[in-house]
Amino acid sequence: MPKMTIDGVEIEVPGGITVLQACELAGKEIPRFCYHERLSVAGNCRMCLVEQEKAPKPVASCAMPVAEGMVIKTDSPLVQKARKGVMEFLLITHPLDCPICDQGGECDLQDQAVAFGKSFSRYQEEKRAVTDKDFGPLVRTEMTRCIQCTRCIRFATEVAGVEVLGATSRGEHMEVTTYVEKGIASELSGNLIDLCPVGALTSKPYAFTARPWELTKTESIDVADAVGVNIRIDSRGREVLRVLPRLNEDVNEEWMADKGRFWVDGLKRQRLDRPFVRENGKLKPASWGEAFAAIAARVKGVDGKRIAAIVGDQCDAESMFALKELMASLGSPNLDCRQDGAALDATNRASYLFNSTIAGIDKADVILLVGTNPRWEAPVLNARIRKRHLKGGLKVASVGAVGDLTYPVEMLGAGAETLSQIASGGNSFSDALKNAKAPMIIVGQGVLTRPDGAAVLGLARKVAEAANVVREGWNGFNVLQTAAARVGGLELGFVPQSGGRDVNGILDGAQKGEIEIVYLLGADEIDTNRLGSAFVIYQGHHGDRGAHRADVVLPGAAYTEKDGTYMNIEGRAQLGRLAIFPPGDAKADWSILRALSESVGKKLGFDTIEQLRRKLYQAFPRFQRLGAIEPAAWTSFGGQGEVGRDQFRPAIANYYMTDPISRASATMAQCTERFVQPVAGGKTGTHG
């Protein structure tokens, strides 16, 4: 490890790092605009200049590697003069529109101008102006503000993997733009806004809405997918205005997918804010007492085996646990958290977890995708695979349709026949898996929701065992869940109890009249036409499919409006926190279930969320160990039946509309119109 001197203090630093990183290790703050630790070094802005002994002029610390005996000064008169000169150049043609700029209060240029700027400008010539670009419905541009740091270009190319941004011309005529006049078709485009150090790229849906100091900031967890992205919810009054990512190196680093970021307008539309009871074929507003009375009257005297419950994809662990307790008190064994019918074995954790962990992708050298499109099913996880690809030495192959991923993928075949060949060693990719140091298999929900899903899961397990994917210190078998509530529901055992029916059995029973009462907790992705004449209770936050079919509607809270625990694809428990209160008469889901239990004469044993959590932690301790991952034991799972010959397909057909919140969002509708429908209709980007 080289030794160097920084501002008169000798320190020892790791080899291969830059002077800027060494200065930060020494506790020195170095201003920068173009440098970002997760992007390649550009050295554009020159704001990070430092004085190096024996160097003829100040050096850019972001691009200078450390060396033995190096002497660095970070705050000398030469450095101060150089930085002030750089700042003067940056501000020469920068518009003075801070009062109306959405970046105001969070602007790196603003902050650095206070430290190194002047109160006047010596520039008297004409200022440049740049035409704004169309980056799509999510990212707003004010390119006259651009300081040409190229962070956006590097992110789009390196992290997002969509090479749509570049720079034209040079010098003062340089412009950042798209290669072809079309929007940025990336599920990670919102991160461009976070990366931009000035107000050149801002959020189009959030434009001119609020100032940072007006907002209440709440740390929570994203439920748009099952990755468990750490987020910050910014709210004002009773309205969520924006959602931003938080740093978590093991889960999402500092990135966030667009759906969870921009669907916030869907939280205000089509909301359920009061109970409803169906009378004479029409839903009519009711009080909580009237709604509970209607349910109690219908439940009275009904055999528990004729009652069923299905939970949706965004439920918190507390509400699922409360519903499970209520169903047990009513004597109902008919429970299911797999509303898509996925063949997941709740008795074996290894069969439904992302066992290698998200951070484990950094170690992988061979990845086999089975019926999954990670770019749509988990964009942040897909970015991690691309990150590993850019390091070199990664081979990715797929069985089944995969879509347009952001790294090279070898197509091995269409379906189960190819998977069987890999398991038996009859495919060339079998050797690649066997010889890999850290092989991974990622199984998607698209194959698990097939009628032969259990057999496909069993076949994937055989591949893992034949190729030694599971070995000492490494479990490379992974299931990529798409629902935020799915792993938590499986951990809770929210699956058919002894003699109970799964979701397909519940729907078949409802059609035949064998199931009389169906409780839907945020379950909107089922075929409601199959509910027959059953009495349907829907508890949720949006007037979506479930509410349209319900006989009683109980207004619940969205993820931004309640405290709750969510378990991500790794089995990592994380806390979501209340940012705003639910609208109207809506309440937290657990409290509705507690009140309902008393109305039906089966009072649950808790009155507060703290009491509920004590019971939850006692029964399922993993939910108490926040942020921890417990490796799963490897045992046999999956079916043995015959597997169909049709092609494996991913679970998601439209990334921007997968749940009640995104379907209610006007922003997501614009994204669908802009990015999904033209592709589905056979159009190219040149068609608009």
Side-chain angles (χ1 to χ4, degrees):
M1 295 176 64
K3 291 183 180 179
M4 59 185 301
T5 303
I6 300 176
D7 290 343
V9 180
E10 187 178 73
I11 64 167
E12 194 173 26
V13 298
I17 67 171
T18 63
V19 171
L20 188 150
Q21 292 170 317
C23 291
E24 290 190 332
L25 290 175
K28 306 295 181 179
E29 184 177 352
I30 306 296
R32 84 290 302 265
F33 291 116
C34 70
Y35 174 80
H36 192 279
E37 56 270 18
R38 302 190 196 277
L39 304 176
S40 60
V41 175
N44 292 335
C45 71
R46 321 308 284 185
M47 197 65 200
C48 65
L49 293 173
V50 296
E51 184 180 353
Q52 180 183 344
E53 192 177 75
K54 299 180 182 179
K57 58 183 179 179
V59 299
S61 61
C62 69
M64 177 64 69
V66 297
E68 181 70 34
M70 186 177 277
V71 178
I72 299 294
K73 296 178 182 178
T74 67
D75 199 30
S76 66
L78 178 64
V79 171
Q80 290 288 331
K81 183 180 178 181
R83 290 175 182 172
K84 289 180 179 179
V86 170
M87 180 58 64
E88 186 173 12
F89 272 112
L90 290 177
L91 295 177
I92 275 177
T93 60
H94 194 83
L96 300 177
D97 58 357
C98 297
I100 63 162
C101 179
D102 274 328
Q103 196 78 4
E106 301 173 318
C107 181
D108 293 345
L109 185 63
Q110 220 174 32
D111 295 341
Q112 298 302 333
V114 171
F116 303 103
K118 296 183 177 181
S119 59
F120 64 94
S121 175
R122 292 182 289 175
Y123 187 79
Q124 302 297 323
E125 287 73 23
E126 292 184 2
K127 292 195 174 186
R128 78 176 200 145
V130 182
T131 306
D132 291 336
K133 317 301 181 191
D134 181 12
F135 283 6
L138 303 178
V139 182
R140 186 175 184 273
T141 63
E142 291 279 353
M143 302 312 291
T144 303
R145 300 171 184 162
C146 178
I147 62 170
Q148 304 170 359
C149 71
T150 69
R151 278 188 180 184
C152 55
I153 298 173
R154 286 176 283 149
F155 174 84
T157 304
E158 298 165 11
V159 180
V162 290
E163 298 181 355
V164 297
L165 286 179
T168 62
S169 303
R170 9 182 354 187
E172 68 171 330
H173 301 292
M174 175 180 166
E175 295 184 20
V176 174
T177 182
T178 52
Y179 293 115
V180 180
E181 289 294 333
K182 63 177 183 178
I184 301 175
S186 170
E187 299 73 31
L188 298 169
S189 65
N191 295 288
L192 296 173
I193 301 165
D194 300 335
L195 286 170
C196 183
V198 296
L201 303 178
T202 56
S203 172
K204 188 174 284 188
Y206 176 72
F208 309 120
T209 300
R211 290 298 194 187
W213 53 85
E214 298 178 281
L215 305 176
T216 300
K217 301 169 179 61
T218 307
E219 295 184 351
S220 191
I221 302 299
D222 180 38
V223 299
D225 55 36
V227 173
V229 171
N230 289 223
I231 61 172
R232 191 189 83 196
I233 301 169
D234 287 358
S235 59
R236 183 176 61 189
R238 301 192 66 173
E239 184 179 7
V240 173
L241 296 182
R242 65 176 182 177
V243 175
L244 300 176
R246 289 189 289 127
L247 179 67
N248 188 321
E249 293 288 357
D250 294 329
V251 179
N252 59 290
E253 297 181 299
E254 59 187 83
W255 313 128
M256 183 180 184
D258 285 351
K259 185 164 53 181
R261 182 192 294 265
F262 292 109
W263 70 358
V264 293
D265 62 325
L267 294 168
K268 298 181 289 186
R269 295 180 171 90
Q270 302 179 19
R271 291 301 304 271
L272 299 173
D273 59 358
R274 69 188 70 179
F276 290 87
V277 175
R278 190 175 296 277
E279 295 179 5
N280 301 320
K282 293 184 178 181
L283 287 172
K284 296 183 178 180
S287 66
W288 280 105
E290 291 169 339
F292 288 159
I295 297 171
R298 190 64 182 83
V299 170
K300 188 176 181 181
V302 177
D303 187 350
K305 295 181 179 179
R306 302 176 72 86
I307 302 174
I310 304 171
V311 300
D313 294 344
Q314 297 176 351
C315 296
D316 57 280
E318 289 84 353
S319 62
M320 288 189 287
F321 178 74
L323 181 56
K324 184 183 178 185
E325 292 284 290
L326 178 59
M327 289 296 113
S329 68
L330 293 171
S332 171
N334 309 310
L335 312 173
D336 211 342
C337 63
R338 305 159 298 182
Q339 60 173 339
D340 55 6
L344 296 165
D345 185 359
T347 63
N348 191 319
R349 298 182 71 238
S351 71
Y352 60 80
L353 290 180
F354 204 90
N355 294 286
S356 63
T357 73
I358 298 171
I361 295 172
D362 297 341
K363 304 176 185 177
D365 51 357
V366 174
I367 298 178
L368 175 64
L369 305 176
V370 181
T372 181
N373 177 2
R375 180 173 174 179
W376 276 11
E377 295 172 22
V380 172
L381 183 143
N382 190 68
R384 201 122 189 181
I385 298 177
R386 175 167 174 80
K387 174 186 172 184
R388 175 63 188 89
H389 158 70
L390 292 177
K391 289 181 179 178
L394 175 67
K395 185 176 184 179
V396 184
S398 174
V399 179
V402 71
D404 182 19
L405 296 181
T406 57
Y407 39 85
V409 179
E410 180 185 354
M411 298 302 298
L412 301 178
E417 185 177 352
T418 304
L419 203 59
S420 298
Q421 291 173 356
I422 298 172
S424 63
N427 189 288
S428 59
F429 196 75
S430 303
D431 294 333
L433 279 173
K434 288 179 182 178
N435 298 329
K437 294 181 180 179
M440 289 180 62
I441 297 173
I442 302 178
V443 182
Q445 294 299 292
V447 298
L448 299 180
T449 55
R450 293 159 46 112
D452 57 358
V456 174
L457 182 63
L459 192 56
R461 176 182 58 80
K462 290 179 181 177
V463 172
E465 293 172 348
N468 197 26
V469 172
V470 181
R471 59 187 73 166
E472 184 69 27
W474 177 258
N475 186 341
F477 183 87
N478 303 296
V479 173
L480 184 54
Q481 306 284 353
T482 55
R486 188 64 51 82
V487 171
L490 294 169
E491 291 280 342
L492 290 168
F494 203 99
V495 292
Q497 307 301 295
S498 179
R501 300 171 183 254
D502 61 8
V503 65
N504 287 316
I506 292 169
L507 296 177
D508 288 341
Q511 280 186 305
K512 297 174 182 177
E514 298 169 356
I515 297 292
E516 296 184 28
I517 299 172
V518 180
Y519 202 112
L520 303 179
L521 181 58
D524 294 278
E525 312 309 319
I526 62 172
D527 184 1
T528 55
N529 295 321
R530 295 177 61 191
L531 289 169
S533 59
F535 183 82
V536 178
I537 306 161
Y538 178 80
Q539 179 180 330
H541 42 78
H542 275 75
D544 207 79
R545 300 164 184 166
H548 292 168
R549 171 58 185 83
D551 295 285
V552 177
V553 175
L554 305 177
Y559 75 105
T560 56
E561 301 156 2
K562 60 183 176 182
D563 295 314
T565 307
Y566 302 92
M567 190 167 279
N568 77 340
I569 54 176
E570 310 165 290
R572 187 192 304 269
Q574 302 183 112
L575 274 183
R577 293 181 174 85
L578 180 146
I580 61 172
F581 291 102
D585 293 333
K587 302 180 183 297
D589 293 306
W590 74 267
S591 65
I592 295 174
L593 290 160
R594 163 61 182 81
L596 176 61
S597 70
E598 192 165 4
S599 296
V600 299
K602 304 289 183 180
K603 183 179 177 181
L604 296 175
F606 51 83
D607 296 312
T608 65
I609 192 169
E610 289 77 17
Q611 294 174 354
L612 167 60
R613 282 176 173 165
R614 280 198 290 270
K615 291 179 68 72
L616 170 65
Y617 297 158
Q618 186 176 1
F620 304 97
R622 290 193 190 98
F623 287 93
Q624 188 175 10
R625 297 190 280 271
L626 298 176
I629 296 177
E630 183 178 324
W634 184 262
T635 58
S636 181
F637 56 84
Q640 303 288 334
E642 185 176 345
V643 181
R645 300 179 65 86
D646 49 324
Q647 185 180 26
F648 291 169
R649 298 189 180 280
I652 296 177
N654 177 5
Y655 166 74
Y656 299 101
M657 287 192 175
T658 57
D659 54 83
I661 301 177
S662 58
R663 286 193 287 269
S665 168
T667 304
M668 294 296 101
Q670 293 172 14
C671 291
T672 298
E673 184 179 4
R674 187 73 177 268
F675 301 128
V676 179
Q677 291 177 350
V679 176
K683 297 180 180 180
T684 66
T686 56
H687 289 91

